[in-house]
Amino acid sequence: MANNCNISNNIVSSNYHGIYLSNASRNTICYNSVLANKNYGIILTGSSTYNKILMNNASNNLKESGIYLSKSYNNEIRDNIANYNYNNGIGLWISSENIIANNTAKKNIYIGIYLEESNNNNIVNNKARDNNKVGIA
């Protein structure tokens, strides 16, 4: 658990997960290069709330999504690049009341921005293009 932390200006690469927060609140993750990690680039899980993921490059992650929320609520994902990931650029699973805005998700193996069992999210002004399956699903 991490609360009220600033994770910024880091190069995070060649790990299992790049940046992993569980049951975390009111953190800011910004200006990081999260590249070529084995699983997720940036992941919030376990009821993580009120976090901001801003202006990161979460690309080229080898097995999963660049940015992923699992059972996380009221977070903001804004102005990120999530390209060339093995799974999806940005993925949400059982995650509601989040803002996904002004991100670029292109050339991912499956979907640019993917939501599953995730309600009441605000998805605006994103660029989801040239993904192998779907832009936003």
Side-chain angles (χ1 to χ4, degrees):
M1 175 170 33
N3 297 317
N4 301 305
C5 296
N6 180 16
I7 302 168
S8 62
N9 295 305
N10 298 291
I11 298 171
V12 184
S13 63
S14 302
N15 301 289
Y16 185 72
H17 296 305
I19 297 172
Y20 181 99
L21 297 179
S22 180
N23 193 25
S25 293
R26 301 190 190 284
N27 297 290
T28 300
I29 301 169
C30 63
Y31 299 110
N32 297 290
S33 293
V34 186
L35 309 169
N37 293 286
K38 291 180 182 137
N39 217 10
Y40 295 100
I42 299 170
I43 179 171
L44 301 181
T45 187
S47 296
S48 291
T49 58
Y50 301 105
N51 297 287
K52 294 182 178 184
I53 301 173
L54 311 170
M55 294 174 270
N56 299 284
N57 184 354
S59 298
N60 297 99
N61 293 289
L62 304 175
K63 289 188 181 176
E64 289 292 343
S65 301
I67 300 170
Y68 189 73
L69 272 58
S70 172
K71 299 180 182 176
S72 296
Y73 312 93
N74 296 297
N75 297 289
E76 182 177 343
I77 301 172
R78 185 183 299 273
D79 299 310
N80 297 284
I81 297 168
N83 299 335
Y84 300 100
N85 293 290
Y86 180 80
N87 201 340
N88 306 308
I90 299 169
L92 278 68
W93 182 68
I94 311 177
S95 295
S96 300
E97 305 290 336
N98 298 290
I99 298 169
I100 316 293
N102 302 321
N103 299 287
T104 299
K106 70 177 185 177
K107 299 202 175 193
N108 295 288
I109 296 297
Y110 291 106
I111 299 168
I113 300 171
Y114 177 70
L115 291 84
E116 183 177 347
E117 297 182 48
S118 298
N119 302 310
N120 301 314
N121 292 291
N122 191 4
I123 300 163
V124 295
N125 296 326
N126 296 286
K127 294 177 185 168
R129 58 176 213 180
D130 299 322
N131 296 287
N132 284 348
K133 297 219 178 217
V134 179
I136 299 173

